Amino acid sequence: MLTLRTGFEIELLAPAGGDRQVLAEELASRYGGHVQRSFHTDSEPSTVPGVGVFRHLSPAFDVTDAGGRPVARLVDDITIEAFQVATRTDAGHRGWYRILCDDARLLRLIERYTDPRAPIETVLAPVARLYDTRVDLVGGAARVDDRTGATVAVAMPLPAGRERPCEIITPPLVTDHEAALDALLAPARDLGFTVPLESAVHVHVDGSPFREATAFANLVRLFAHWREPLWELLETNPACQRLAPPPEELVRVVDTNPDLTWADLRATARAVGVTKYADVNLTQLVADRPYRDTLEVRILPGDDDAASIVRRAAIVEGLLMRCLEDRPIPRPDRVAPQDRVTALTALAGAAEVAA
């Protein structure tokens, strides 16, 4: 059903008492491969006055097959949190911890010089050596300050329950997408993993074809003007967090200036501040140095069934292919005064959308 090289991010929840490492080890066993402990970078709003966000590194697990090829990467997703209301576990599960820092550049340096397998008491020792200071142990946490007393980083026991969220990140899949996904999801179901309340599935495709004026403008039109029909067609999870339409100013520029060049659109998108936390993540298309050169669609609902994930991804693929055509994506009120979902299905080139 899919023709594009596609990567997936699928958000699941381990059963109480379980964690993402259990799934990583099961996958490695089935593939005759290995699990490598690593760090996953994320950020969250800060409760400390004057600090907008705290960035952190949390335990992640990279699974490879017998030939050393990537199978999946399993990480935390901090938007998955409703389960903690009903089920709490002890902080510091398996001795796991997070490393917190308020500067993205420092965090990248910390990730480079620390060992994700090290215990909390010593993990920041290389950072302390860089600053010619020491690691201070305070109440189960480890902290490194610079020589003026400013805190560089803190390692703290993993908050209760944070071992259970498990986002499965696949490598780019070229063929047999459904079979490849089922090989990851069937073991998860067998181990009791479920679809959490706030979950979503994210789809990544190669970004380079969309780094062109007409294609980029069509993306903006599609995800701005067709937002409600898109959510209905794809059955977007209303509890999913960190979604939003494209910035209003970007939409206005696209709608009123059809002859803008790619350079103009890129500059506008950067000026208005596109963010990854949107229905469609355009940030890597306009970045000077893309971290991951993909276009990401974030509005597929959480799911643990490979067939339904691929079915919805095929709709997305059809719509993205339509964005690559020279013709502008029309506004819904010009083609679909009543049944906009049917009109959107036609835009995707889908003859039928299963219920």
Side-chain angles (χ1 to χ4, degrees):
M1 294 178 66
L2 294 175
T3 61
L4 296 178
R5 202 170 78 118
T6 307
F8 296 84
E9 297 171 352
I10 303 170
E11 297 165 3
L12 300 178
L13 183 68
D19 58 51
R20 48 190 174 274
Q21 184 177 351
V22 172
L23 178 56
E25 292 170 345
E26 176 64 20
L27 291 174
S29 174
R30 296 196 185 198
Y31 278 87
H34 302 280
V35 177
Q36 180 69 40
R37 175 88 168 257
S38 61
F39 281 130
H40 171 61
T41 305
D42 211 332
S43 62
E44 57 189 308
S46 167
T47 58
V48 177
V51 179
V53 297
F54 266 126
R55 306 174 192 279
H56 65 256
L57 303 174
S58 60
F61 301 90
D62 300 296
V63 182
T64 54
D65 65 13
R69 294 173 292 270
V71 171
R73 176 170 166 80
L74 309 186
V75 305
D76 189 7
D77 186 307
I78 62 170
T79 67
I80 307 303
E81 57 185 11
F83 73 95
Q84 296 183 99
V85 174
T87 305
R88 302 288 291 181
T89 57
D90 291 334
H93 172 88
R94 289 205 203 212
W96 291 3
Y97 52 83
R98 295 195 298 187
I99 299 176
L100 291 87
C101 180
D102 62 0
D103 187 298
R105 293 168 297 179
L106 284 177
L107 194 66
R108 289 192 290 270
L109 186 69
I110 293 164
E111 183 177 12
R112 179 178 177 84
Y113 282 95
T114 54
D115 182 352
R117 298 165 299 178
I120 191 170
E121 294 84 1
T122 62
V123 67
L124 292 178
V127 180
R129 286 194 294 271
L130 285 173
Y131 282 87
D132 192 24
T133 58
R134 67 177 188 275
V135 178
D136 293 316
L137 302 178
V138 183
R143 187 184 71 227
V144 170
D145 297 341
D146 68 15
R147 299 189 73 178
T148 71
T151 298
V152 177
V154 179
M156 301 183 67
L158 196 72
R162 291 316 313 171
E163 73 280 357
R164 292 183 60 195
C166 178
E167 181 176 328
I168 301 175
I169 303 173
T170 76
L173 305 178
V174 181
T175 60
D176 299 325
H177 300 73
E178 183 177 332
L181 290 181
D182 193 57
L184 301 174
L185 294 174
R189 293 192 301 268
D190 292 345
L191 290 170
F193 281 67
T194 55
V195 178
L197 175 67
E198 310 96 327
S199 65
V201 170
H202 301 164
V203 173
H204 288 258
V205 300
D206 290 339
S208 56
F210 301 93
R211 216 171 268 113
E212 186 274 330
T214 301
F216 188 85
N218 274 338
L219 286 173
V220 173
R221 295 185 187 104
L222 174 65
F223 286 92
H225 300 316
W226 292 86
R227 191 180 194 220
E228 291 184 7
L230 270 172
W231 278 44
E232 184 175 349
L233 179 60
L234 296 175
E235 302 171 287
T236 301
N237 179 4
C240 183
Q241 302 182 39
R242 293 183 168 184
L243 297 179
E248 290 183 7
E249 179 61 16
L250 179 60
V251 178
R252 186 194 67 77
V253 168
V254 165
D255 285 343
T256 57
N257 298 273
D259 298 323
L260 286 179
T261 65
W262 163 238
D264 293 331
L265 285 173
R266 179 176 180 269
T268 299
R270 289 165 62 93
V272 301
V274 292
T275 171
K276 68 173 287 186
Y277 302 123
D279 296 7
V280 59
N281 175 7
L282 304 173
T283 61
Q284 299 303 297
L285 299 186
V286 302
D288 286 330
R289 296 181 179 181
Y291 169 73
R292 180 185 292 167
D293 191 7
T294 66
L295 169 71
E296 178 190 20
V297 177
R298 298 166 51 85
I299 53 174
L300 281 69
D303 206 336
D304 62 359
D305 179 75
S308 40
I309 291 173
V310 169
R311 175 179 65 81
R312 293 189 181 96
I315 296 171
V316 170
E317 179 179 292
L319 290 167
L320 296 181
M321 296 299 287
R322 173 61 180 83
C323 288
L324 294 176
E325 296 183 10
D326 289 337
R327 297 173 296 142
I329 293 283
R331 295 181 70 107
D333 54 5
R334 295 179 183 173
V335 296
Q338 296 179 342
D339 191 349
R340 297 184 178 188
V341 172
T342 299
L344 186 62
T345 304
L347 277 181
E352 179 180 356
V353 179

